[in-house]
Amino acid sequence: MVREFELPDVGEGVAEGELVSWLVEPGDEVTEDQPVAEVETDKALVEVPAPVDGTVRELHVEAGEVVPVGTVIISFDVEGEAPRASENANDDAVSEGATEQPESEQASTSEPAGDPGATGADAEDAAPPDDRVFAPPRVRRMARERGIDLSSVRGSGPGGRITADDVRAAAGGESAGETAGSQSQSAGATAGEAASETADSTATGTTGETATESAATATADSSARRHETPGQVESADRDKTLAAPATRRIAQEEGVDIDAIPTDEERDGEAFVTPEAVREYAAAQRQAQEADREAVEAGEPVGTTGADFAEGERERREPFTGVRKTIADAMVESKYSAPHVTHHDEVDVTELVAAREDLKPRAEERGIRLTYMPFIMKAVIAALHEYPEMNAVIDEASEEIVYRDYYNIGVATATDVGLMVPVIEDADRKGLLQLSSEMNEVVQKARDRTISPSELQGSTFTITNIGGIGGEYATPIINYPEAGILAIGEIKRKPRVVTDEDGTESIEPRSVMTLSLSFDHRLIDGAVGAQFTNTVMEYLENPHLLLLE
């Protein structure tokens, strides 16, 4: 019997994923829980296991294709398993040579010619199932804090994902598309709307221009763009585009961004792209590039903006998606939500360096690589005990300060796809070796892209080590909604004035480390930030005090 397998929900709030690679081929024998594919989400790279014992019948998705959760990606031949009712229904529909479309789609527009086999469900592939709510953890937390039922909120993000602005709009009694002051992009915008503009942005280049005027200008520009000659076609630059999987495959083969293809067609209020539009746009791009190459050969000046460069010439473009886009969104939200202040200082860690050197061989005997980070974690936790404001968070909906009596320390980690923050839970209850072992494990998993979304959530304070790449001072951005983040600089040998027990002063070379503490000035005063840093310094200067923690 044939068993179809859909892309599962590989993590909370994940609406879609890119199928990076197949680990099996048609005809391969597989066992239950055997990894069959690698899928990259905006949080991590995960392996998708087979749900049954059987033989791979067909791979329905090409490597590199982005598919929503719930899309059939692979079929298995399974011995002795009766076909499911849905499979029987699908087989009957195929045998009759016809597929039914929902009434809403029949009323909108017919299936585009040249795309056989595409159903109404294919056209709406970016929309989530009715009974599934897609929202990142911080958005879910915001909704809980504001008493918003996410099932009643219409998501404006990719794949119907609910964004923070959707929740804010719901709290204010407006839909995301009606919120003129929203700082996020409206994914429900058509090709003619200014999807990337916000009411308080000056990025339009026109000082004092209102959001309404910007949208009107963008609409006019888009209308004019649709009547340009093929060589002058520009990017539509939408956040969300509906298209059948076969259409998306054509766009991928042609090497064009489907969100950049101009279109007048809509499905349920969203921009809809047909195969013909993809081919026309790709042909126009090739024509423009060929014209530029001919002009260059003839010695004529050629404009060097937009997408006019041929591949490999002076510019290289990559999709701004996945983890990199998630990091960018988080950074913007943090900077616009929390007024940042950064306090800098230096600490003499000569005794800490000596203590680590003494303990390192003992840790190695247990198979653990002991770094300075566990010592710094213990010092930070001790300071958090004394200054609970640094471990707090502001509940903006109820206008309350939430003091957290648990200590989950995030460790900012550089990976080949951007910055990730693995979390060590209940760090205050663990010793140096256990902290070191767990930290090494999650950091390596983050760099290998095998870390689970749950291991990247729930931190109450974050530490980032800029010294690993030779830095001293920084102005780190808070891992919002946390109240603070501490950047650790490189340990360097520097001359320092040292006072002996008898009061005699002398200049000696000492090991010195820099500290850069960024904090939310709404919650933390400058004096508290400085006192917190001084407490961290006290424990790092005298590591034997950590034995008391």
Side-chain angles (χ1 to χ4, degrees), residues 212-223:
T212 303
E213 292 168 345
S214 299
T217 302
T219 302
D221 291 343
S222 178
S223 177

Side-chain angles (χ1 to χ4, degrees), residues 55 60 107 122 128 137 157 215 217 226 242 329 361 363-364 382 400 503 510 535:
T55 304
H60 298 279
D122 293 331
T217 302
R226 289 195 293 269
L242 299 184
D329 292 342
E364 290 175 351
E400 295 176 330
R510 306 286 289 182
T535 302

Side-chain angles (χ1 to χ4, degrees), residues 42 126 149 160 164 231 233 296 326 450 538:
D42 59 1
D149 181 6
V233 174
V296 170
T326 302
T450 59
E538 180 182 5

